[in-house]
């Protein structure tokens, strides 16, 4: 069983999709811990409801970002966490943290990377006028939204779409590909070669 920690700042619908796929027996993993940097995060309530250990760690209580991240690292190490899943976690992890968990942190981003990095990707896509957008699950490296890509899903952008319409359509795909990516990692079927992620065949 792969030991997972999830970091989330908001409503936690991606967190929930991973919980549901673990509960159904689809992913051989265990969520040891949910950490949020926001006390009002819906993700904390979901964890409570599911009986998953959850902590609100207030970054403002630490003198430096390094102190805050050291606290996080200590918690993860205590639980023997092997994979950190960022699910709407609105902070950028420092190179120190990323190095510590090299190739062990994944993120979901609501665009087809490398297009529309950063915040408000769905609005960026609508404003740009692209006909297709989507979502990307990727490993986290020291850049912003730049790490090796594990999975992507394509979503059509309709002429009358608002950013919210598009976000809702993309979110449905996020809830499919994020659990799929976690499953691949839990099954040991991912190999990183430079920028490229190879998916090994399922053992029969
Ligand atoms: C998602 O759109 C995800 O792509 C982005 O943040 C949002 C989180 O939503 N990184 P939720 O908290 O999982 O519902």
């Amino acid at each position: 069983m792969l030991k997972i920690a999830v970091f989330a700042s908001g409503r936690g619908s991606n967190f929930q999709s991973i919980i549901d796929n673990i509960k159904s027996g689809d992913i051989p993993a265990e969520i040891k811990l949910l950490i949020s940097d926001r006390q009002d995060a819906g993700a904390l309530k979901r964890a409570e409801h599911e009986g998953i250990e959850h902590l609100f760690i207030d970054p403002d209580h630490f003198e430096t970002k390094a102190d805050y991240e050291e606290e996080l690292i200590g918690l993860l190490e205590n639980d023997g966490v092997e994979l950190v899943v960022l699910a709407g976690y609105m902070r950028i992890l420092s190179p120190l943290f990323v190095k510590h968990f090299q190739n062990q942190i994944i993120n979901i981003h609501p665009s087809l990377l490398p297009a529309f990095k950063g915040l408000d990707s769905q609005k960026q896509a609508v404003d740009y006028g692209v006909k297709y957008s989507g979502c990307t699950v990727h490993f986290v490296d020291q850049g912003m939204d730049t790490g090796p890509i594990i999975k992507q899903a394509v979503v059509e952008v309709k002429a009358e779409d608002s950013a919210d319409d598009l976000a809702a359509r993309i979110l449905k795909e996020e809830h499919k590909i994020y659990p799929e990516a976690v499953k691949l990692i839990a099954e040991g079927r991912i190999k990183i070669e430079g920028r490229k992620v190879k998916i090994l065949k399922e053992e029969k």
Side-chain angles (χ1 to χ4, degrees):
M1 290 286 216
L2 185 77
K3 296 191 181 93
I4 294 177
V6 179
F7 288 9
S9 307
R11 70 193 155 185
S13 71
N14 278 288
F15 171 45
Q16 188 71 52
S17 73
I18 292 165
I19 294 173
D20 293 345
N21 280 274
I22 289 177
K23 282 202 331 198
S24 72
D26 202 38
I27 305 177
E30 180 192 354
I31 302 178
K32 301 291 289 182
L33 185 61
L34 177 278
I35 294 178
S36 183
D37 58 335
R38 298 206 38 161
Q39 197 159 21
D40 58 354
L44 285 167
K45 288 211 181 73
R46 291 181 194 266
E48 188 174 4
H49 184 253
E50 299 285 346
I52 293 170
E53 191 188 341
H54 51 285
L55 293 169
F56 159 55
I57 312 280
D58 188 351
D60 293 342
H61 279 174
F62 297 85
E63 217 148 275
T64 64
K65 183 167 179 168
D67 290 344
Y68 163 65
E69 289 188 344
E70 257 168 46
E71 172 80 12
L72 299 182
I73 290 172
L75 290 163
L76 300 181
E77 290 200 327
N78 250 344
D79 275 342
V81 167
E82 298 158 292
L83 180 71
V84 178
V85 175
L86 307 182
Y89 180 67
M90 299 307 286
R91 271 166 206 279
I92 294 173
L93 295 165
S94 75
L96 220 99
F97 187 99
V98 172
K99 245 191 221 154
H100 194 98
F101 289 99
Q102 202 172 17
N103 297 337
Q104 291 182 291
I105 311 170
I106 59 174
N107 182 44
I108 187 147
H109 184 78
S111 75
L112 291 175
L113 290 172
F116 311 131
K117 294 180 177 135
L119 292 176
D120 296 326
S121 310
Q122 303 95 333
K123 182 174 184 307
Q124 289 185 54
V126 167
D127 290 351
Y128 197 93
V130 290
K131 302 296 187 196
Y132 292 92
S133 189
C135 45
T136 304
V137 181
H138 63 92
F139 283 103
V140 173
D141 67 7
Q142 294 184 16
M144 193 177 56
D145 302 326
T146 52
I149 290 172
I150 305 167
K151 265 191 169 273
Q152 293 186 302
V154 177
V155 165
E156 193 179 352
V157 184
K158 300 195 173 147
E160 64 280 9
D161 269 352
S162 66
D164 285 347
D165 296 333
L166 179 61
R169 205 171 308 120
I170 291 175
L171 193 65
K172 278 194 191 153
E173 296 304 315
E174 295 184 33
H175 295 161
K176 291 183 200 153
I177 67 167
Y178 216 4
E180 284 169 6
V182 173
K183 180 181 161 85
L184 288 173
I185 294 169
E187 291 177 346
R189 291 174 53 205
I190 294 269
K191 205 170 151 204
I192 306 176
E193 289 178 357
R195 272 215 56 80
K196 294 187 184 162
V197 171
K198 283 207 167 152
I199 297 175
L200 310 174
K201 287 211 176 89
E202 208 169 349
E203 273 181 33
K204 291 265 157 75

